[in-house]
Amino acid sequence: MATPQGRQWPGVTPPISLNLPTDSELSANDALIAELKQQNNFEGSEETERRKTTLQSIQKMTVEFVKHVSKKKGLPQSTIDAAGGKIFTYGSYRLGVYGPGSDIDTLVVVPKHVLREDFFGDFPPILERMAPPGAIEEMTPVPDAFVPIIKLEFSGISIDLIFARLALPSVPLTLDLKDNSLLRGLDERDLRSLNGTRVTDEILELVPQQKTFRTALRAIKLWAQRRAIYANVMGFPGGVAWAMLVARVCQLYPQATASVIIGKFFRIISKWGWPQPVILKQIEDGPLQVRVWNPKIYNGDRFHLMPIITPAYPSMCATHNITMSTKKIITNELERGGDIVDKIFTGQLHWKDLFGRHTFFTKGYKYYLSIIAASRTKDAQLIWSGLVESKVRHLVTELEHDAAIEVAHPFNKGFERVHHCKNEQEIEAVISGDLKYQATNVKTETTDLANDPKHSAAAQGEADNMVMPDGSSEATINGEERHTIYTTTYYVGIELVQGPKKSLDISWQTKNFKEMCIQWQNYNADLNSLNIIHTRNYDLPVDVFEAGEVRPTRPKRKVIKVEANTKKRHFDASELEVRTPQSPVAQKRSRLVE
């Protein structure tokens, strides 16, 4: 809508305010940037320059790759010379909100005669040959993922290369992916690969001030990660969804500072009239017979609880995984964030208080479900744990339907552990949750830090396209038989509704979840296992806590009176009995009543 000054502001509604920043708002913005630097949110100029150099190298390698394939297929020299090939970035790097150690999501776009088989067969050797000696420290192709990906460490920078093939004879350096006609003749894999770059570029075009947007998004991403509400697979917004929410608030306050945008963000989004969608521009039709988000046509779209719609054609919902529980958790966190920012502006708190760590394990819940995915080989575990992770939100949805459960809160990442066992009895104990045999020389790592491409692909729902590797965990060390078992544990906190003392029987939900997972076509009972155990807060493993955090302690036995007006209660307050189907070892360890 045109403003009185004649400027056209982006967005589907006029701005709420065109006020320029006050001195106090500018001061708060300076303090915000200083805190983000203190939080190590910005990388140094040397590392940024190394990223640019690395991308330039990969661009040259891409052109060489396309030429190599063109020659191999016997194309005329004129076609070879014109074939081209171009890389595009997307995600946090393209948005300008990357920090130290961040990946660079990179799209390799090639002409029609270059196939996926060429990408995996010919590109890795060319990368190795053209890179400086020792520059490529690690390279992991994942050819059976739905979106083809090669993950590599190049000069200390993590690069995710995905592949897209256009229906064009050549891909010049001047190519712009905004043109919807480029999508004609592409299959679903290529469309999905192109989507990341197209969405990222649209977001940047639809914000009034990119610098303000980037600073605000850095803060919101850091806040969401610290509060453990950043993970699309687990039912929380992912990076692109948080970016679109921040972009929408920037549209409403186009001349505000990032500090003001953050305050408005919490208040506007916490009170948003869901399921009214968040959109950055009107949803457009295009040249393809593909599905575009539309709840008037598609029944499934009507059930999206917090729809945030991507701006690039074909528009999709970036938050279709959100459940009733995660929606409630997100809303509570937004309200809490708004209260903190209000106090920051009145001088009662500081920006560092906004970025405080979550209390999921320290104060969140009294009782948890521990979902333990285990395998006898590391390669098998990468895929199996990803498959289980992709299904956790389905268990959460089933738990939400239980009348006794107010919230089923999934933690946004899994904990990967390694165990050394001497016999099947010890293996049974491990897969049932016993940490007695955990390897002392291998540090527990969360799935987001491990960031394995095979695990990520399986977690994104691509496990059906992946082959389960075979192998054995057995080895002989110092003449003694030893088995290495790999586990990944996901935690779900449980909050109960008001009501009289009762037993909570979730055996049906957990049985259904387990069957959903083991019915996967590549499940191998000789390699994989899955158990769900009931864990009290004071029994949580020490490695889920950070240094300085206070672990919950076993309460002294006492009679607890439950007031009539109590709004919620936890397991210990109600002396709740929990029923889940488990192995005898797990039953004994959890002290469950069957």
Side-chain angles (χ1 to χ4, degrees), residues 271 333 428 448 484 592:
K271 294 178 172 58
E333 287 291 348
E428 175 64 25
D448 63 321
T484 301
L592 299 183

Side-chain angles (χ1 to χ4, degrees), residues 48-108:
T48 297
E49 202 55 42
R50 192 164 72 250
R51 288 180 186 272
K52 293 177 181 177
T53 302
T54 297
L55 289 171
Q56 289 168 0
S57 297
I58 292 176
Q59 173 60 47
K60 292 176 183 176
M61 295 171 183
T62 297
V63 172
E64 179 60 28
F65 160 60
V66 173
K67 284 183 178 179
H68 173 81
V69 173
S70 303
K71 289 177 184 177
K72 192 169 73 170
K73 297 189 176 182
L75 299 180
Q77 188 61 45
S78 59
T79 303
I80 294 172
D81 293 339
K86 184 177 178 180
I87 65 168
F88 297 83
T89 58
Y90 63 101
S92 62
Y93 181 80
R94 177 70 183 99
L95 288 171
V97 293
Y98 55 93
S102 295
D103 294 353
I104 302 180
D105 296 313
T106 308
L107 169 67
V108 177

Side-chain angles (χ1 to χ4, degrees), residues 110-300:
V110 299
K112 62 183 179 182
H113 60 271
V114 181
L115 308 178
R116 290 187 188 91
E117 293 77 10
D118 303 319
F119 179 64
F120 289 107
D122 295 314
F123 202 20
I126 289 172
L127 290 168
E128 293 274 13
R129 173 168 56 84
M130 293 185 66
I136 297 183
E137 302 160 31
E138 184 180 344
M139 180 154 47
T140 308
V142 189
D144 44 3
F146 185 79
V147 174
I149 182 172
I150 298 174
K151 187 176 185 66
L152 69 153
E153 291 288 327
F154 191 114
S155 298
I157 297 169
S158 182
I159 311 282
D160 288 351
L161 296 173
I162 66 171
F163 171 89
R165 169 176 166 258
L166 297 182
L168 298 173
S170 66
V171 175
L173 288 175
T174 56
L175 181 75
D176 189 333
L177 294 179
K178 285 195 301 183
D179 185 358
N180 289 346
S181 67
L182 292 174
L183 306 180
R184 294 183 187 274
L186 304 188
D187 65 18
E188 188 180 348
R189 287 185 175 192
D190 290 324
L191 285 172
R192 191 185 295 187
S193 294
L194 292 169
N195 188 59
T197 297
R198 285 167 52 82
V199 167
T200 307
D201 287 353
E202 283 268 21
I203 292 172
L204 288 174
E205 286 193 4
L206 290 167
V207 294
Q209 299 183 64
Q210 290 188 8
K211 184 178 179 181
T212 299
F213 164 73
R214 285 172 170 145
T215 303
L217 181 55
R218 281 181 179 275
I220 294 302
K221 279 188 64 174
L222 179 61
W223 162 79
Q225 289 164 346
R226 293 280 174 84
R227 301 305 297 174
I229 53 171
Y230 189 104
N232 178 51
V233 172
M234 286 297 189
F236 298 102
V240 70
W242 287 118
M244 289 188 288
L245 288 176
V246 173
R248 183 68 187 114
V249 178
C250 287
Q251 290 178 339
L252 297 173
Y253 296 89
Q255 301 191 118
T257 62
S259 56
V260 170
I261 293 295
I262 292 168
K264 300 297 185 182
F265 171 89
F266 286 118
R267 291 314 185 197
I268 289 174
I269 305 303
S270 66
K271 294 178 172 58
W272 192 266
W274 308 109
Q276 175 185 337
V278 171
I279 57 176
L280 300 181
K281 69 174 192 177
Q282 295 299 338
I283 296 173
E284 61 180 296
D285 293 325
L288 308 179
Q289 295 297 314
V290 295
R291 178 169 173 164
V292 176
W293 188 83
N294 189 337
K296 294 180 180 178
I297 297 176
Y298 302 109
N299 190 52

Side-chain angles (χ1 to χ4, degrees), residues 411-425:
F411 192 60
N412 67 334
K413 60 194 78 171
F415 290 80
E416 297 181 345
R417 301 181 177 101
V418 179
H419 315 261
H420 295 315
C421 305
K422 296 177 182 177
N423 50 51
E424 290 297 324
Q425 184 178 0

Side-chain angles (χ1 to χ4, degrees), residues 289-451:
Q289 295 297 314
V290 295
R291 178 169 173 164
V292 176
W293 188 83
N294 189 337
K296 294 180 180 178
I297 297 176
Y298 302 109
N299 190 52
D301 293 350
R302 297 171 197 163
F303 293 96
H304 294 161
L305 300 177
M306 300 179 74
I308 304 170
I309 311 304
T310 57
Y313 173 83
S315 292
M316 295 176 264
C317 179
T319 46
H320 61 276
N321 289 338
I322 288 178
T323 71
M324 291 186 294
S325 287
T326 56
K327 178 187 176 185
K328 184 174 294 188
I329 294 157
I330 294 163
T331 302
N332 289 342
E333 287 291 348
L334 288 166
E335 291 173 351
R336 173 186 175 276
D339 292 342
I340 291 173
V341 175
D342 286 350
K343 291 180 180 179
I344 290 172
F345 273 96
T346 58
Q348 297 171 268
L349 292 174
H350 303 283
W351 284 111
K352 67 178 181 180
D353 298 304
L354 179 64
F355 306 125
R357 181 172 148 88
H358 65 84
T359 57
F360 180 85
F361 295 112
T362 55
K363 299 178 182 177
Y365 302 92
K366 300 291 197 247
Y367 274 59
Y368 300 79
L369 293 182
S370 301
I371 304 162
I372 306 164
S375 299
R376 292 179 182 246
T377 70
K378 184 176 182 179
D379 286 342
Q381 179 65 2
L382 291 174
I383 300 175
W384 173 238
S385 62
L387 180 280
V388 172
E389 181 175 318
S390 73
K391 308 294 184 186
V392 169
R393 70 178 184 276
H394 297 290
L395 173 61
V396 168
T397 300
E398 293 291 346
L399 293 171
E400 290 171 344
H401 292 157
D402 191 297
I405 295 178
E406 179 71 25
V407 169
H409 181 171
F411 192 60
N412 67 334
K413 60 194 78 171
F415 290 80
E416 297 181 345
R417 301 181 177 101
V418 179
H419 315 261
H420 295 315
C421 305
K422 296 177 182 177
N423 50 51
E424 290 297 324
Q425 184 178 0
E426 291 183 359
I427 292 174
E428 175 64 25
V430 166
I431 65 179
S432 298
D434 198 326
L435 300 183
K436 188 187 302 182
Y437 308 103
Q438 185 174 357
T440 56
N441 62 334
V442 182
K443 186 179 179 181
T444 300
E445 195 169 29
T446 53
T447 49
D448 63 321
L449 292 179
N451 194 24

